Amino acid sequence: MMDSHIHLSYAYYDQLFPYIDMENGDFVIREGKRDSLIREMKKRGIECCIEPAIDVASNELLLRLSSQERGFIYPAVGNHPTRCIHSSLRDFKRVREYAKSPEVVAIGETGLDYHYERKKQHRLKQKLWFQWQINLAHEMELPLILHIRLAHEDALRILTKNKGKLHGGVCHCFAGGADVAKVYTEELGLCLGIGGTLLMKQQISESLKQAVASVSMESLLLETDGPYVKPERPDGIVGKRWKKAHNTSLILPAVAKRIAEIKDIPIEDVMKITAENTKRVFHLT
């Protein structure tokens, strides 16, 4: 198994913290620190993780952690759409310098996020950074890690315009329907990152289930977006404990199982194919 999107260098993991694990197919809450969590992930068969940047400052942190965990954590550098609106002109140069690191496997996460009210979105600046990072990825011949939230129309227009500059990539934390999924996968040649959203209640996950059913297995990657995007809270865990717990790669078997059910194939095939897809997209050896 491979986690194509997690933020292990994030401050949430700096100290002892509660996190989501699995035991006998059920979610449980445990406590640990970053180092012990990484050891447990390796023990459970997590082959590697892709860690993308959240903001400009996070690039340095994730590059440092990936250097410490070389061959297990692979870095992607960039500037997230909700963070880039606070960036200055000199941050373009900083991201470009980070992208020159030989261990970098992708540019991102980048894209568009229209979740907040329009006056707080700074859509023009998001689009400026998105286009710049597409150009940077093309220059470096790297795939993109996309963060697209409530903005598929604008994002697809920009990506289609730049189709000749794309070197593959993934629309992470995908939550759209089948029609949109086919545009990303069939027209643009991108993959979809599937994680905790697929394990949420039906009114949230139904359109994603249809999307997963509609695309080929070769277009799917497993992800968690830890510490975010947790599954639906199980009945046996009280709300406060679940709210405080951080998501981890240890939930990947549950995501793979749900995909296996949708595709009507063995879970082992889901794990094998999605791992192969991750290696292909990010050029991992």
Side-chain angles (χ1 to χ4, degrees), residues 110-166:
T110 183
L112 303 173
D113 191 320
Y114 295 171
H115 173 65
Y116 300 103
E117 59 183 283
R118 192 178 184 108
K119 66 180 181 180
K120 293 183 179 180
Q121 291 168 7
H122 297 278
R123 292 188 183 186
L124 183 60
K125 197 166 185 180
Q126 285 194 38
K127 291 175 182 177
L128 176 66
W129 267 96
F130 189 19
Q131 182 64 61
W132 185 84
Q133 289 179 95
I134 290 173
N135 293 343
L136 179 63
H138 178 48
E139 177 186 333
M140 307 294 292
E141 297 185 346
L142 290 172
L144 289 165
I145 295 178
L146 301 173
H147 173 105
I148 313 296
R149 190 177 188 187
L150 302 179
H152 290 297
E153 183 178 351
D154 281 357
L156 287 171
R157 183 169 59 251
I158 292 170
L159 290 166
T160 300
K161 180 181 177 182
N162 289 275
K163 187 175 179 179
K165 295 181 179 181
L166 302 182

Side-chain angles (χ1 to χ4, degrees), residues 149-210:
R149 190 177 188 187
L150 302 179
H152 290 297
E153 183 178 351
D154 281 357
L156 287 171
R157 183 169 59 251
I158 292 170
L159 290 166
T160 300
K161 180 181 177 182
N162 289 275
K163 187 175 179 179
K165 295 181 179 181
L166 302 182
H167 297 263
V170 56
C171 185
H172 119 84
C173 198
F174 184 76
D179 291 344
V180 176
K182 287 186 176 182
V183 178
Y184 282 111
T185 59
E186 296 179 11
E187 296 185 22
L188 295 174
L190 302 171
C191 289
L192 308 178
I194 309 299
T197 304
L198 195 62
L199 305 176
M200 294 180 181
K201 51 191 175 183
Q202 185 173 352
Q203 56 262 48
I204 297 175
S205 64
E206 184 58 34
S207 64
L208 179 56
K209 291 177 184 176
Q210 295 174 12

Side-chain angles (χ1 to χ4, degrees), residues 260-271:
E261 292 168 352
I262 295 170
K263 292 291 195 181
D264 194 23
I265 61 175
I267 187 174
E268 293 79 13
D269 288 357
V270 173
M271 293 179 178

Side-chain angles (χ1 to χ4, degrees), residues 216-227:
S216 70
M217 275 301 305
E218 285 67 33
S219 297
L220 301 179
L221 306 184
L222 297 180
E223 69 160 69
T224 60
D225 199 19

Side-chain angles (χ1 to χ4, degrees), residues 6-264:
I6 190 171
H7 303 283
L8 286 169
S9 66
Y10 202 55
Y12 282 147
Y13 296 108
D14 284 346
Q15 55 201 345
L16 187 69
F17 59 88
Y19 65 86
I20 304 172
D21 193 356
M22 294 190 69
E23 185 176 284
N24 299 322
D26 296 321
F27 295 121
V28 295
I29 305 295
R30 304 196 194 284
E31 284 194 341
K33 295 184 177 181
R34 181 186 289 110
D35 290 347
S36 62
L37 172 61
I38 290 174
R39 285 196 299 271
E40 188 63 25
M41 287 164 56
K42 293 177 180 178
K43 181 180 176 182
R44 300 284 190 87
I46 307 299
E47 297 177 57
C48 68
C49 303
I50 309 296
E51 172 151 2
I54 295 176
D55 55 21
V56 175
S58 70
N59 286 285
E60 187 170 346
L61 296 175
L62 67 89
L63 284 169
R64 187 183 308 145
L65 181 60
S66 67
S67 178
Q68 295 169 0
E69 292 289 342
R70 196 175 301 276
F72 183 70
I73 297 175
Y74 291 91
V77 303
N79 199 4
H80 189 286
T82 64
R83 308 308 203 279
C84 72
I85 60 178
H86 305 295
S87 296
S88 63
L89 287 175
R90 68 175 179 271
D91 287 330
F92 288 113
K93 182 177 180 180
R94 292 176 64 191
V95 172
R96 179 180 290 279
E97 288 302 311
Y98 290 130
K100 294 178 182 177
S101 300
E103 62 267 33
V104 170
V105 298
I107 300 299
E109 51 191 288
T110 183
L112 303 173
D113 191 320
Y114 295 171
H115 173 65
Y116 300 103
E117 59 183 283
R118 192 178 184 108
K119 66 180 181 180
K120 293 183 179 180
Q121 291 168 7
H122 297 278
R123 292 188 183 186
L124 183 60
K125 197 166 185 180
Q126 285 194 38
K127 291 175 182 177
L128 176 66
W129 267 96
F130 189 19
Q131 182 64 61
W132 185 84
Q133 289 179 95
I134 290 173
N135 293 343
L136 179 63
H138 178 48
E139 177 186 333
M140 307 294 292
E141 297 185 346
L142 290 172
L144 289 165
I145 295 178
L146 301 173
H147 173 105
I148 313 296
R149 190 177 188 187
L150 302 179
H152 290 297
E153 183 178 351
D154 281 357
L156 287 171
R157 183 169 59 251
I158 292 170
L159 290 166
T160 300
K161 180 181 177 182
N162 289 275
K163 187 175 179 179
K165 295 181 179 181
L166 302 182
H167 297 263
V170 56
C171 185
H172 119 84
C173 198
F174 184 76
D179 291 344
V180 176
K182 287 186 176 182
V183 178
Y184 282 111
T185 59
E186 296 179 11
E187 296 185 22
L188 295 174
L190 302 171
C191 289
L192 308 178
I194 309 299
T197 304
L198 195 62
L199 305 176
M200 294 180 181
K201 51 191 175 183
Q202 185 173 352
Q203 56 262 48
I204 297 175
S205 64
E206 184 58 34
S207 64
L208 179 56
K209 291 177 184 176
Q210 295 174 12
V212 169
S214 71
V215 302
S216 70
M217 275 301 305
E218 285 67 33
S219 297
L220 301 179
L221 306 184
L222 297 180
E223 69 160 69
T224 60
D225 199 19
Y228 311 108
V229 193
K230 293 181 282 193
E232 186 69 16
R233 179 179 64 85
D235 292 337
I237 301 177
V238 297
K240 287 184 178 180
R241 290 188 66 214
W242 188 255
K243 185 176 181 179
K244 292 179 180 179
H246 304 325
N247 196 12
T248 73
S249 303
L250 301 178
I251 75 159
L252 287 180
V255 179
K257 181 183 178 188
R258 187 63 54 86
I259 294 174
E261 292 168 352
I262 295 170
K263 292 291 195 181
D264 194 23

